Amino acid sequence: MKIGVFDSGLGGLVVTKAFITAMPEYDYVYYGDTKHLPYGEKTSGQILSYTIDAIKFLISQNCGLIIIACNTATSIALRYLQQKFIPSFAPDVKVLGVVIPTVEEAIADKAAKVGVLATNATVRSHIYRQELLKLKSDLEIKEVAAPELVPAIENNDFDLAEKFVKQYAKDFDDFDSLILGCTHYPLLKEYFRKVLPTSVRVISQDELMSGKLKDYLNRHVEIDICLSRNFEYKFLVSSLNEHYKKVAQMMFGNIDIEEIKTHV
Ligand code: DGL
């Protein structure tokens, strides 16, 4: 069985790169649903349906452990997948998301005020607020949607992205931590760190997810022993063109990426 990583597009390649760097021996299948990107601007019903299809696809690729790197898909679909879909469709498969590990990291250093920057759909779900409050009920939390950042990054327009970062950073000047709650934002983490006061800890998922995955595998030996280790990596998308190839290189570096022919 392989490790599957799912994202709405190519942003999840940043976290996948961190997984492969930290644990290169495992076999990974990356699947980006570029055909339906951006999830952040879709309805919850659409996001749920696309995510179920993607998980079915990764299961058909022999993935026994699937990480949903997409914050939007995690926010809208993970609970349903874990509680309803997976137990009946593929009870041996484990599906994990990015919100809980990120929230755990955010409260680890006694933060009192935590900010979250994410897509419209993630903010609308209030998943970060709910999960943060479960761990620390007296936290002050501010969730802000930054719909301009994903398109600016996808267009490789980092000047524009930097302008928006400056604008959004003002909302979090006096916070203890800022969660970058979107696959694409790790590419802007240094801008955030530059424009925010040093007292604000910028939490970037590319820096925390591989440690969390390692820890999960150490705690779940029964899953770890089922995972194949041939250093094989496959990168698949639902739609591929020259633009996506460039975005994939920006996210990951040199990469062989393939378009899938049939979905599930
Ligand atoms: N992958 C999405 C996320 O992390 C960002 C891109 C999109 O809107 O689909 O929320």
Side-chain angles (χ1 to χ4, degrees), residues 66-261:
I66 299 172
I67 295 112
I68 302 185
C70 178
N71 286 259
T72 305
T74 300
S75 306
I76 305 297
L78 185 65
R79 202 169 294 159
Y80 173 80
L81 287 166
Q82 288 178 333
Q83 292 176 3
K84 298 263 193 283
F85 179 75
I86 289 293
S88 63
F89 185 81
D92 294 336
V93 172
K94 294 281 170 254
V95 181
L96 309 173
V98 281
V99 171
I100 303 277
T102 307
V103 160
E104 285 170 358
E105 187 69 24
I107 60 132
D109 60 358
K110 311 212 178 346
K113 288 175 83 169
V114 177
V116 181
L117 202 64
T119 65
N120 271 321
T122 300
V123 168
R124 196 175 65 225
S125 77
H126 295 300
I127 186 95
Y128 273 103
R129 174 180 297 279
Q130 288 162 16
E131 296 300 337
L132 281 163
L133 290 177
K134 273 187 207 165
L135 296 183
K136 200 163 183 270
S137 58
D138 60 347
L139 273 184
E140 190 179 323
I141 300 159
K142 187 189 226 176
E143 296 168 294
V144 174
E148 303 87 354
L149 290 182
V150 167
I153 296 168
E154 293 264 334
N155 290 328
N156 209 359
D157 191 346
F158 280 82
D159 289 340
L160 181 65
E162 194 174 6
K163 275 190 199 133
F164 283 114
V165 167
K166 271 191 198 129
Q167 190 180 304
Y168 285 115
K170 287 192 194 120
D171 279 335
F172 303 104
D173 258 3
D174 59 342
F175 275 61
D176 300 316
S177 305
L178 172 62
I179 292 174
L180 302 183
C182 173
T183 46
H184 290 56
Y185 302 171
L187 294 176
L188 296 171
K189 66 184 175 185
E190 296 312 335
Y191 289 146
F192 277 101
R193 286 175 180 150
K194 201 170 118 191
V195 297
L196 279 164
T198 47
S199 53
V200 185
R201 182 171 165 236
V202 174
I203 298 174
S204 188
Q205 289 167 339
D206 63 318
E207 294 170 357
L208 68 97
M209 280 304 295
S210 55
K212 296 285 184 184
L213 179 57
K214 230 181 211 172
D215 180 51
Y216 179 86
L217 292 173
N218 284 338
R219 284 184 290 108
H220 294 274
V221 181
E222 75 288 0
I223 297 169
D224 193 40
I225 52 167
C226 298
L227 296 172
S228 52
R229 291 159 168 84
N230 302 304
F231 296 81
E232 281 175 12
Y233 321 131
K234 220 186 208 183
F235 301 97
L236 306 171
V237 288
S238 50
S239 170
L240 188 60
N241 56 32
E242 285 311 309
H243 173 70
Y244 285 143
K245 284 184 193 165
K246 280 196 196 123
V247 177
Q249 282 190 350
M250 175 172 71
M251 301 285 178
F252 193 92
N254 229 359
I255 189 174
D256 266 337
I257 195 154
E258 271 174 68
E259 182 178 299
I260 59 165
K261 296 293 167 241

